[in-house]
Amino acid sequence: MEIKKGKELKSKYISRNSKFDYLPEHDRYLTARAKPKYKFNVIGTGNIGQEHMKVTMLEERGTIHGIYDTNTSSIEQAKQMFSTNFPGNSLVEYDSLEAACNDPEVDGLIICTPNYTHIDMVREAVKSGKHILLEKPMATTLEDAFEITRIAQNYTGIFQIGLQYRYKAIYVEAIHEALERKNVGDIKTISILEHRVPFLDKVNQWNKFAKYSGGTLVEKCCHYFDLFNLFAQSKPVHVHATGSMAVNFTEFEYNNEKSDIIDNAFVTVSYENGIQASFNLCMFSPMFLEEMILCGDEGRMKVSEQEDFLPNNLPRYQFELMRSDGKPSKVSTPSYPETIQQSGHGGATFYEHAYFIDNIEGKQTSTASVEEGFWSVAIGAAAEKSIRTGEVVYIEDLLKEHNVNLSKVVSHS
Ligand SMILES: NC(=O)c1ccc[n+]([C@@H]2O[C@H](COP(=O)([O-])OP(=O)(O)OC[C@H]3O[C@@H](n4cnc5c(N)ncnc54)[C@H](O)[C@@H]3O)[C@@H](O)[C@H]2O)c1
């Protein structure tokens, strides 16, 4: 018997609670799960590829149909993870990129290979016309990022970039308070800090070499430059950065090549609308701390995420809004339901998937467009250049130097 669904089924959190797994499917009313409508293939099944597999299944409207990876160990690991977590679901294993991109069963492709491969993955993937979720950074060079921007301009499927930090609960709150409610007034300065442990191991250690990753400020920090751009609501004019390889991987060699990535930096960015932004990175810290401070003409906001491995139960996420006299200030600990928050990147990857599917269904979302992906790479590339040359890098000059003419690209967002 088909059970009629009512309004009360809106909370997906109840349907995801494993406490109810003992119920036969026909008795799941309040806890009814969505039937998957979309099938996705994951290309690159390493660290984040497997996170995408898990959140796709958790989100419920989509399922993972198949996987492709050039590394047999990643494939085996992904298959094992999938059969353990989602028993009863089969997984197709493709023997070529072309086959993975062109399976008629599949609606979308989730590209999670190392940064330097993205351009080739995209060139092949777009031939399929399928929806694409491409991991950040979209490319390692401005030329490749521009080529992808131009390809995406005329693409009829969804083309989304995996800049999902904007969906961490702290930034969703910050967007709401600062951009929608304007509770710090006009934003004047943006400061972001990331202190963390060194880059983790990767398959073939691609993240230890700038030629494969784009350099630290492109690879990891494109997330923070995307947040700069989002909160500044303006275009960067010039970038100045200092940084060095002070502690990490100074002795590291792989295939007789020495690692060449920086582990600390100070980056400042000036925007067309006068907003000044600064970013501080330290990757030899014994803990994770990510913090953003916005100062406006009517208040100051600080949001942070901290993971320190100590037994104290400090809140992982914190939000603080201090406003001038007569206007309420507040502190809080923004969070998502536990299953979602623990599913990866504090729940941000889960919402990235939810909005990917919303995009496919024609709903309005605020996912990162290809142009936004481009601008996050542009600041990272400018900062890397500034460290190399010791000079202020004007974005206009940098774009010219790399033959990037953005006026040829009409907004795709
Ligand atoms: N959005 C985020 O927060 C986030 C987090 C982590 C990684 N990433 C991005 O995701 C991508 C992958 O990172 P990762 O941490 O999963 O790396 P990883 O090394 O753990 O996994 C990459 C996988 O891609 C496979 N691969 C390499 N070349 C391939 C090819 N030509 N064809 C098919 N598979 C290939 C490797 O064998 C490996 O299994 C990178 O672009 C990275 O920057 C994004």
Side-chain angles (χ1 to χ4, degrees), residues 26-59:
H26 64 263
D27 277 335
R28 293 184 75 114
Y29 173 66
L30 254 191
T31 60
R33 288 176 288 214
K35 286 218 169 52
K37 281 198 277 183
Y38 304 99
K39 293 178 182 168
F40 300 110
N41 278 349
V42 173
I43 298 169
T45 57
N47 169 27
I48 197 78
Q50 292 192 33
E51 183 168 312
H52 282 291
M53 291 171 77
K54 287 186 206 149
V55 296
T56 298
M57 302 303 281
L58 184 64
E59 204 279 338

PDB file of all heavy atoms in Angstrom, residues 26-59:
ATOM      1  N   HIS A  26       7.902  -0.595   4.221  1.00  0.00           N
ATOM      2  CA  HIS A  26       6.479  -0.205   4.122  1.00  0.00           C
ATOM      3  C   HIS A  26       5.964   0.456   5.405  1.00  0.00           C
ATOM      4  O   HIS A  26       4.871   1.002   5.422  1.00  0.00           O
ATOM      5  CB  HIS A  26       5.603  -1.409   3.712  1.00  0.00           C
ATOM      6  CG  HIS A  26       5.584  -2.514   4.716  1.00  0.00           C
ATOM      7  ND1 HIS A  26       6.398  -3.622   4.609  1.00  0.00           N
ATOM      8  CD2 HIS A  26       4.874  -2.699   5.849  1.00  0.00           C
ATOM      9  CE1 HIS A  26       6.188  -4.426   5.629  1.00  0.00           C
ATOM     10  NE2 HIS A  26       5.268  -3.891   6.399  1.00  0.00           N
ATOM     11  N   ASP A  27       6.744   0.374   6.497  1.00  0.00           N
ATOM     12  CA  ASP A  27       6.320   1.047   7.734  1.00  0.00           C
ATOM     13  C   ASP A  27       7.041   2.371   7.946  1.00  0.00           C
ATOM     14  O   ASP A  27       6.926   2.984   9.007  1.00  0.00           O
ATOM     15  CB  ASP A  27       6.556   0.134   8.943  1.00  0.00           C
ATOM     16  CG  ASP A  27       5.410  -0.843   9.126  1.00  0.00           C
ATOM     17  OD1 ASP A  27       4.294  -0.511   8.672  1.00  0.00           O
ATOM     18  OD2 ASP A  27       5.642  -1.923   9.682  1.00  0.00           O
ATOM     19  N   ARG A  28       7.781   2.801   6.963  1.00  0.00           N
ATOM     20  CA  ARG A  28       8.501   4.077   7.125  1.00  0.00           C
ATOM     21  C   ARG A  28       7.629   5.188   6.553  1.00  0.00           C
ATOM     22  O   ARG A  28       7.477   5.311   5.342  1.00  0.00           O
ATOM     23  CB  ARG A  28       9.860   4.018   6.430  1.00  0.00           C
ATOM     24  CG  ARG A  28      10.812   3.043   7.105  1.00  0.00           C
ATOM     25  CD  ARG A  28      12.168   3.070   6.465  1.00  0.00           C
ATOM     26  NE  ARG A  28      12.921   4.249   6.836  1.00  0.00           N
ATOM     27  CZ  ARG A  28      14.044   4.274   7.554  1.00  0.00           C
ATOM     28  NH1 ARG A  28      14.569   3.149   7.980  1.00  0.00           N
ATOM     29  NH2 ARG A  28      14.645   5.383   7.843  1.00  0.00           N
ATOM     30  N   TYR A  29       7.008   5.961   7.459  1.00  0.00           N
ATOM     31  CA  TYR A  29       6.182   7.089   7.037  1.00  0.00           C
ATOM     32  C   TYR A  29       6.887   8.393   7.399  1.00  0.00           C
ATOM     33  O   TYR A  29       7.406   9.102   6.561  1.00  0.00           O
ATOM     34  CB  TYR A  29       4.804   7.008   7.697  1.00  0.00           C
ATOM     35  CG  TYR A  29       3.963   8.247   7.433  1.00  0.00           C
ATOM     36  CD1 TYR A  29       3.525   8.539   6.143  1.00  0.00           C
ATOM     37  CD2 TYR A  29       3.633   9.126   8.460  1.00  0.00           C
ATOM     38  CE1 TYR A  29       2.779   9.693   5.891  1.00  0.00           C
ATOM     39  CE2 TYR A  29       2.895  10.272   8.221  1.00  0.00           C
ATOM     40  CZ  TYR A  29       2.467  10.552   6.939  1.00  0.00           C
ATOM     41  OH  TYR A  29       1.755  11.684   6.691  1.00  0.00           O
ATOM     42  N   LEU A  30       6.981   8.662   8.719  1.00  0.00           N
ATOM     43  CA  LEU A  30       7.754   9.837   9.158  1.00  0.00           C
ATOM     44  C   LEU A  30       9.204   9.703   8.752  1.00  0.00           C
ATOM     45  O   LEU A  30       9.887  10.679   8.474  1.00  0.00           O
ATOM     46  CB  LEU A  30       7.710   9.931  10.695  1.00  0.00           C
ATOM     47  CG  LEU A  30       6.849  10.997  11.307  1.00  0.00           C
ATOM     48  CD1 LEU A  30       7.146  11.121  12.796  1.00  0.00           C
ATOM     49  CD2 LEU A  30       7.008  12.342  10.628  1.00  0.00           C
ATOM     50  N   THR A  31       9.679   8.454   8.742  1.00  0.00           N
ATOM     51  CA  THR A  31      11.095   8.195   8.466  1.00  0.00           C
ATOM     52  C   THR A  31      11.326   7.783   7.015  1.00  0.00           C
ATOM     53  O   THR A  31      12.382   7.245   6.675  1.00  0.00           O
ATOM     54  CB  THR A  31      11.629   7.083   9.399  1.00  0.00           C
ATOM     55  OG1 THR A  31      10.859   5.902   9.162  1.00  0.00           O
ATOM     56  CG2 THR A  31      11.569   7.470  10.849  1.00  0.00           C
ATOM     57  N   ALA A  32      10.320   7.999   6.149  1.00  0.00           N
ATOM     58  CA  ALA A  32      10.448   7.562   4.745  1.00  0.00           C
ATOM     59  C   ALA A  32      11.644   8.217   4.082  1.00  0.00           C
ATOM     60  O   ALA A  32      11.901   9.410   4.275  1.00  0.00           O
ATOM     61  CB  ALA A  32       9.174   7.910   3.984  1.00  0.00           C
ATOM     62  N   ARG A  33      12.380   7.435   3.301  1.00  0.00           N
ATOM     63  CA  ARG A  33      13.554   7.968   2.609  1.00  0.00           C
ATOM     64  C   ARG A  33      13.195   8.278   1.155  1.00  0.00           C
ATOM     65  O   ARG A  33      12.353   7.587   0.569  1.00  0.00           O
ATOM     66  CB  ARG A  33      14.685   6.946   2.657  1.00  0.00           C
ATOM     67  CG  ARG A  33      15.283   6.845   4.054  1.00  0.00           C
ATOM     68  CD  ARG A  33      16.323   5.778   4.149  1.00  0.00           C
ATOM     69  NE  ARG A  33      15.711   4.455   4.091  1.00  0.00           N
ATOM     70  CZ  ARG A  33      16.183   3.403   4.760  1.00  0.00           C
ATOM     71  NH1 ARG A  33      17.231   3.525   5.521  1.00  0.00           N
ATOM     72  NH2 ARG A  33      15.615   2.231   4.656  1.00  0.00           N
ATOM     73  N   ALA A  34      13.872   9.303   0.625  1.00  0.00           N
ATOM     74  CA  ALA A  34      13.602   9.665  -0.771  1.00  0.00           C
ATOM     75  C   ALA A  34      14.127   8.551  -1.684  1.00  0.00           C
ATOM     76  O   ALA A  34      15.157   7.957  -1.396  1.00  0.00           O
ATOM     77  CB  ALA A  34      14.314  10.974  -1.094  1.00  0.00           C
ATOM     78  N   LYS A  35      13.381   8.293  -2.764  1.00  0.00           N
ATOM     79  CA  LYS A  35      13.883   7.323  -3.755  1.00  0.00           C
ATOM     80  C   LYS A  35      14.863   8.048  -4.661  1.00  0.00           C
ATOM     81  O   LYS A  35      14.536   9.102  -5.208  1.00  0.00           O
ATOM     82  CB  LYS A  35      12.712   6.803  -4.598  1.00  0.00           C
ATOM     83  CG  LYS A  35      11.827   5.828  -3.871  1.00  0.00           C
ATOM     84  CD  LYS A  35      11.360   4.714  -4.818  1.00  0.00           C
ATOM     85  CE  LYS A  35      10.706   3.586  -4.076  1.00  0.00           C
ATOM     86  NZ  LYS A  35       9.629   4.009  -3.165  1.00  0.00           N
ATOM     87  N   PRO A  36      16.081   7.531  -4.837  1.00  0.00           N
ATOM     88  CA  PRO A  36      17.045   8.259  -5.669  1.00  0.00           C
ATOM     89  C   PRO A  36      16.547   8.445  -7.104  1.00  0.00           C
ATOM     90  O   PRO A  36      16.028   7.518  -7.706  1.00  0.00           O
ATOM     91  CB  PRO A  36      18.282   7.369  -5.636  1.00  0.00           C
ATOM     92  CG  PRO A  36      18.003   6.231  -4.760  1.00  0.00           C
ATOM     93  CD  PRO A  36      16.596   6.266  -4.310  1.00  0.00           C
ATOM     94  N   LYS A  37      16.685   9.690  -7.588  1.00  0.00           N
ATOM     95  CA  LYS A  37      16.245   9.991  -8.960  1.00  0.00           C
ATOM     96  C   LYS A  37      17.435  10.130  -9.897  1.00  0.00           C
ATOM     97  O   LYS A  37      17.282  10.116 -11.100  1.00  0.00           O
ATOM     98  CB  LYS A  37      15.499  11.344  -8.965  1.00  0.00           C
ATOM     99  CG  LYS A  37      14.074  11.260  -8.471  1.00  0.00           C
ATOM    100  CD  LYS A  37      13.276  12.478  -8.913  1.00  0.00           C
ATOM    101  CE  LYS A  37      13.494  13.644  -7.978  1.00  0.00           C
ATOM    102  NZ  LYS A  37      12.732  14.838  -8.253  1.00  0.00           N
ATOM    103  N   TYR A  38      18.613  10.380  -9.322  1.00  0.00           N
ATOM    104  CA  TYR A  38      19.780  10.691 -10.166  1.00  0.00           C
ATOM    105  C   TYR A  38      20.933   9.731  -9.888  1.00  0.00           C
ATOM    106  O   TYR A  38      21.114   9.289  -8.752  1.00  0.00           O
ATOM    107  CB  TYR A  38      20.250  12.134  -9.895  1.00  0.00           C
ATOM    108  CG  TYR A  38      19.152  13.132 -10.097  1.00  0.00           C
ATOM    109  CD1 TYR A  38      18.441  13.631  -9.008  1.00  0.00           C
ATOM    110  CD2 TYR A  38      18.784  13.537 -11.377  1.00  0.00           C
ATOM    111  CE1 TYR A  38      17.397  14.527  -9.189  1.00  0.00           C
ATOM    112  CE2 TYR A  38      17.753  14.433 -11.567  1.00  0.00           C
ATOM    113  CZ  TYR A  38      17.055  14.927 -10.470  1.00  0.00           C
ATOM    114  OH  TYR A  38      16.023  15.806 -10.649  1.00  0.00           O
ATOM    115  N   LYS A  39      21.680   9.449 -10.957  1.00  0.00           N
ATOM    116  CA  LYS A  39      22.843   8.560 -10.812  1.00  0.00           C
ATOM    117  C   LYS A  39      24.105   9.338 -11.157  1.00  0.00           C
ATOM    118  O   LYS A  39      24.149  10.033 -12.171  1.00  0.00           O
ATOM    119  CB  LYS A  39      22.703   7.375 -11.760  1.00  0.00           C
ATOM    120  CG  LYS A  39      21.555   6.450 -11.401  1.00  0.00           C
ATOM    121  CD  LYS A  39      21.448   5.328 -12.400  1.00  0.00           C
ATOM    122  CE  LYS A  39      20.259   4.446 -12.066  1.00  0.00           C
ATOM    123  NZ  LYS A  39      19.946   3.514 -13.155  1.00  0.00           N
ATOM    124  N   PHE A  40      25.116   9.179 -10.300  1.00  0.00           N
ATOM    125  CA  PHE A  40      26.374   9.902 -10.512  1.00  0.00           C
ATOM    126  C   PHE A  40      27.551   8.933 -10.577  1.00  0.00           C
ATOM    127  O   PHE A  40      27.543   7.893  -9.913  1.00  0.00           O
ATOM    128  CB  PHE A  40      26.612  10.893  -9.363  1.00  0.00           C
ATOM    129  CG  PHE A  40      25.525  11.924  -9.240  1.00  0.00           C
ATOM    130  CD1 PHE A  40      24.644  11.917  -8.172  1.00  0.00           C
ATOM    131  CD2 PHE A  40      25.362  12.893 -10.220  1.00  0.00           C
ATOM    132  CE1 PHE A  40      23.628  12.855  -8.066  1.00  0.00           C
ATOM    133  CE2 PHE A  40      24.356  13.837 -10.131  1.00  0.00           C
ATOM    134  CZ  PHE A  40      23.492  13.825  -9.048  1.00  0.00           C
ATOM    135  N   ASN A  41      28.549   9.331 -11.359  1.00  0.00           N
ATOM    136  CA  ASN A  41      29.829   8.613 -11.355  1.00  0.00           C
ATOM    137  C   ASN A  41      30.870   9.468 -10.670  1.00  0.00           C
ATOM    138  O   ASN A  41      30.900  10.691 -10.867  1.00  0.00           O
ATOM    139  CB  ASN A  41      30.295   8.335 -12.795  1.00  0.00           C
ATOM    140  CG  ASN A  41      29.609   7.109 -13.368  1.00  0.00           C
ATOM    141  OD1 ASN A  41      28.951   6.355 -12.646  1.00  0.00           O
ATOM    142  ND2 ASN A  41      29.761   6.906 -14.667  1.00  0.00           N
ATOM    143  N   VAL A  42      31.710   8.823  -9.881  1.00  0.00           N
ATOM    144  CA  VAL A  42      32.804   9.543  -9.229  1.00  0.00           C
ATOM    145  C   VAL A  42      34.107   9.192  -9.947  1.00  0.00           C
ATOM    146  O   VAL A  42      34.446   8.022 -10.112  1.00  0.00           O
ATOM    147  CB  VAL A  42      32.893   9.191  -7.725  1.00  0.00           C
ATOM    148  CG1 VAL A  42      34.147   9.809  -7.107  1.00  0.00           C
ATOM    149  CG2 VAL A  42      31.657   9.703  -6.990  1.00  0.00           C
ATOM    150  N   ILE A  43      34.806  10.233 -10.377  1.00  0.00           N
ATOM    151  CA  ILE A  43      36.084  10.049 -11.084  1.00  0.00           C
ATOM    152  C   ILE A  43      37.193  10.504 -10.145  1.00  0.00           C
ATOM    153  O   ILE A  43      37.281  11.682  -9.803  1.00  0.00           O
ATOM    154  CB  ILE A  43      36.068  10.866 -12.401  1.00  0.00           C
ATOM    155  CG1 ILE A  43      34.946  10.323 -13.291  1.00  0.00           C
ATOM    156  CG2 ILE A  43      37.424  10.798 -13.104  1.00  0.00           C
ATOM    157  CD1 ILE A  43      34.627  11.167 -14.486  1.00  0.00           C
ATOM    158  N   GLY A  44      37.979   9.563  -9.678  1.00  0.00           N
ATOM    159  CA  GLY A  44      38.991   9.835  -8.647  1.00  0.00           C
ATOM    160  C   GLY A  44      38.385   9.473  -7.301  1.00  0.00           C
ATOM    161  O   GLY A  44      37.595  10.247  -6.743  1.00  0.00           O
ATOM    162  N   THR A  45      38.747   8.292  -6.785  1.00  0.00           N
ATOM    163  CA  THR A  45      38.083   7.812  -5.555  1.00  0.00           C
ATOM    164  C   THR A  45      39.051   7.793  -4.377  1.00  0.00           C
ATOM    165  O   THR A  45      39.112   6.835  -3.621  1.00  0.00           O
ATOM    166  CB  THR A  45      37.501   6.398  -5.774  1.00  0.00           C
ATOM    167  OG1 THR A  45      38.585   5.545  -6.194  1.00  0.00           O
ATOM    168  CG2 THR A  45      36.410   6.401  -6.815  1.00  0.00           C
ATOM    169  N   GLY A  46      39.819   8.880  -4.247  1.00  0.00           N
ATOM    170  CA  GLY A  46      40.717   9.023  -3.098  1.00  0.00           C
ATOM    171  C   GLY A  46      39.952   9.622  -1.927  1.00  0.00           C
ATOM    172  O   GLY A  46      38.762   9.338  -1.716  1.00  0.00           O
ATOM    173  N   ASN A  47      40.613  10.483  -1.205  1.00  0.00           N
ATOM    174  CA  ASN A  47      40.063  11.069   0.016  1.00  0.00           C
ATOM    175  C   ASN A  47      38.705  11.743  -0.207  1.00  0.00           C
ATOM    176  O   ASN A  47      37.686  11.337   0.349  1.00  0.00           O
ATOM    177  CB  ASN A  47      41.138  12.045   0.553  1.00  0.00           C
ATOM    178  CG  ASN A  47      40.650  12.921   1.660  1.00  0.00           C
ATOM    179  OD1 ASN A  47      39.735  12.570   2.392  1.00  0.00           O
ATOM    180  ND2 ASN A  47      41.268  14.067   1.804  1.00  0.00           N
ATOM    181  N   ILE A  48      38.679  12.773  -1.065  1.00  0.00           N
ATOM    182  CA  ILE A  48      37.416  13.520  -1.217  1.00  0.00           C
ATOM    183  C   ILE A  48      36.421  12.766  -2.101  1.00  0.00           C
ATOM    184  O   ILE A  48      35.211  12.898  -1.934  1.00  0.00           O
ATOM    185  CB  ILE A  48      37.662  14.968  -1.739  1.00  0.00           C
ATOM    186  CG1 ILE A  48      36.435  15.875  -1.504  1.00  0.00           C
ATOM    187  CG2 ILE A  48      38.029  14.979  -3.200  1.00  0.00           C
ATOM    188  CD1 ILE A  48      36.293  16.365  -0.116  1.00  0.00           C
ATOM    189  N   GLY A  49      36.940  11.938  -3.038  1.00  0.00           N
ATOM    190  CA  GLY A  49      36.029  11.142  -3.882  1.00  0.00           C
ATOM    191  C   GLY A  49      35.145  10.259  -3.013  1.00  0.00           C
ATOM    192  O   GLY A  49      33.934  10.140  -3.232  1.00  0.00           O
ATOM    193  N   GLN A  50      35.743   9.670  -1.988  1.00  0.00           N
ATOM    194  CA  GLN A  50      34.954   8.792  -1.106  1.00  0.00           C
ATOM    195  C   GLN A  50      33.989   9.598  -0.236  1.00  0.00           C
ATOM    196  O   GLN A  50      32.903   9.144   0.094  1.00  0.00           O
ATOM    197  CB  GLN A  50      35.891   7.928  -0.272  1.00  0.00           C
ATOM    198  CG  GLN A  50      36.627   6.936  -1.160  1.00  0.00           C
ATOM    199  CD  GLN A  50      37.363   5.859  -0.386  1.00  0.00           C
ATOM    200  OE1 GLN A  50      36.927   5.439   0.684  1.00  0.00           O
ATOM    201  NE2 GLN A  50      38.463   5.393  -0.940  1.00  0.00           N
ATOM    202  N   GLU A  51      34.410  10.825   0.130  1.00  0.00           N
ATOM    203  CA  GLU A  51      33.470  11.693   0.880  1.00  0.00           C
ATOM    204  C   GLU A  51      32.252  12.017   0.002  1.00  0.00           C
ATOM    205  O   GLU A  51      31.116  11.994   0.456  1.00  0.00           O
ATOM    206  CB  GLU A  51      34.195  12.975   1.317  1.00  0.00           C
ATOM    207  CG  GLU A  51      33.340  13.909   2.145  1.00  0.00           C
ATOM    208  CD  GLU A  51      34.178  15.017   2.790  1.00  0.00           C
ATOM    209  OE1 GLU A  51      35.225  14.735   3.382  1.00  0.00           O
ATOM    210  OE2 GLU A  51      33.759  16.195   2.679  1.00  0.00           O
ATOM    211  N   HIS A  52      32.509  12.286  -1.284  1.00  0.00           N
ATOM    212  CA  HIS A  52      31.396  12.562  -2.205  1.00  0.00           C
ATOM    213  C   HIS A  52      30.481  11.339  -2.345  1.00  0.00           C
ATOM    214  O   HIS A  52      29.262  11.484  -2.440  1.00  0.00           O
ATOM    215  CB  HIS A  52      31.928  12.967  -3.585  1.00  0.00           C
ATOM    216  CG  HIS A  52      32.405  14.390  -3.654  1.00  0.00           C
ATOM    217  ND1 HIS A  52      31.544  15.472  -3.582  1.00  0.00           N
ATOM    218  CD2 HIS A  52      33.641  14.913  -3.784  1.00  0.00           C
ATOM    219  CE1 HIS A  52      32.244  16.591  -3.675  1.00  0.00           C
ATOM    220  NE2 HIS A  52      33.519  16.290  -3.787  1.00  0.00           N
ATOM    221  N   MET A  53      31.086  10.168  -2.354  1.00  0.00           N
ATOM    222  CA  MET A  53      30.256   8.950  -2.463  1.00  0.00           C
ATOM    223  C   MET A  53      29.329   8.848  -1.256  1.00  0.00           C
ATOM    224  O   MET A  53      28.138   8.578  -1.385  1.00  0.00           O
ATOM    225  CB  MET A  53      31.158   7.705  -2.551  1.00  0.00           C
ATOM    226  CG  MET A  53      31.926   7.622  -3.856  1.00  0.00           C
ATOM    227  SD  MET A  53      33.185   6.322  -3.863  1.00  0.00           S
ATOM    228  CE  MET A  53      32.176   4.854  -4.101  1.00  0.00           C
ATOM    229  N   LYS A  54      29.888   9.088  -0.075  1.00  0.00           N
ATOM    230  CA  LYS A  54      29.086   8.962   1.158  1.00  0.00           C
ATOM    231  C   LYS A  54      27.979  10.004   1.214  1.00  0.00           C
ATOM    232  O   LYS A  54      26.837   9.693   1.544  1.00  0.00           O
ATOM    233  CB  LYS A  54      29.984   9.110   2.388  1.00  0.00           C
ATOM    234  CG  LYS A  54      30.878   7.908   2.624  1.00  0.00           C
ATOM    235  CD  LYS A  54      31.624   8.086   3.946  1.00  0.00           C
ATOM    236  CE  LYS A  54      32.930   7.315   3.912  1.00  0.00           C
ATOM    237  NZ  LYS A  54      33.996   7.892   4.700  1.00  0.00           N
ATOM    238  N   VAL A  55      28.314  11.260   0.894  1.00  0.00           N
ATOM    239  CA  VAL A  55      27.273  12.291   1.050  1.00  0.00           C
ATOM    240  C   VAL A  55      26.197  12.181  -0.015  1.00  0.00           C
ATOM    241  O   VAL A  55      25.042  12.516   0.231  1.00  0.00           O
ATOM    242  CB  VAL A  55      27.828  13.735   1.125  1.00  0.00           C
ATOM    243  CG1 VAL A  55      28.688  13.939   2.339  1.00  0.00           C
ATOM    244  CG2 VAL A  55      28.534  14.152  -0.111  1.00  0.00           C
ATOM    245  N   THR A  56      26.561  11.666  -1.198  1.00  0.00           N
ATOM    246  CA  THR A  56      25.534  11.462  -2.226  1.00  0.00           C
ATOM    247  C   THR A  56      24.483  10.489  -1.691  1.00  0.00           C
ATOM    248  O   THR A  56      23.277  10.721  -1.822  1.00  0.00           O
ATOM    249  CB  THR A  56      26.154  10.870  -3.521  1.00  0.00           C
ATOM    250  OG1 THR A  56      27.094  11.793  -4.036  1.00  0.00           O
ATOM    251  CG2 THR A  56      25.099  10.592  -4.573  1.00  0.00           C
ATOM    252  N   MET A  57      24.953   9.407  -1.063  1.00  0.00           N
ATOM    253  CA  MET A  57      24.027   8.404  -0.548  1.00  0.00           C
ATOM    254  C   MET A  57      23.229   8.967   0.639  1.00  0.00           C
ATOM    255  O   MET A  57      22.042   8.699   0.783  1.00  0.00           O
ATOM    256  CB  MET A  57      24.785   7.139  -0.123  1.00  0.00           C
ATOM    257  CG  MET A  57      25.589   6.499  -1.239  1.00  0.00           C
ATOM    258  SD  MET A  57      24.599   6.063  -2.685  1.00  0.00           S
ATOM    259  CE  MET A  57      23.835   4.538  -2.154  1.00  0.00           C
ATOM    260  N   LEU A  58      23.894   9.771   1.464  1.00  0.00           N
ATOM    261  CA  LEU A  58      23.227  10.358   2.629  1.00  0.00           C
ATOM    262  C   LEU A  58      22.142  11.350   2.188  1.00  0.00           C
ATOM    263  O   LEU A  58      21.080  11.444   2.792  1.00  0.00           O
ATOM    264  CB  LEU A  58      24.285  11.067   3.485  1.00  0.00           C
ATOM    265  CG  LEU A  58      23.871  11.693   4.802  1.00  0.00           C
ATOM    266  CD1 LEU A  58      23.376  10.631   5.784  1.00  0.00           C
ATOM    267  CD2 LEU A  58      25.053  12.446   5.428  1.00  0.00           C
ATOM    268  N   GLU A  59      22.431  12.064   1.114  1.00  0.00           N
ATOM    269  CA  GLU A  59      21.484  13.085   0.631  1.00  0.00           C
ATOM    270  C   GLU A  59      20.209  12.442   0.081  1.00  0.00           C
ATOM    271  O   GLU A  59      19.137  13.032   0.118  1.00  0.00           O
ATOM    272  CB  GLU A  59      22.178  13.955  -0.433  1.00  0.00           C
ATOM    273  CG  GLU A  59      21.589  15.337  -0.601  1.00  0.00           C
ATOM    274  CD  GLU A  59      20.352  15.391  -1.467  1.00  0.00           C
ATOM    275  OE1 GLU A  59      20.128  14.481  -2.287  1.00  0.00           O
ATOM    276  OE2 GLU A  59      19.574  16.367  -1.335  1.00  0.00           O
TER     277      GLU A  59
END
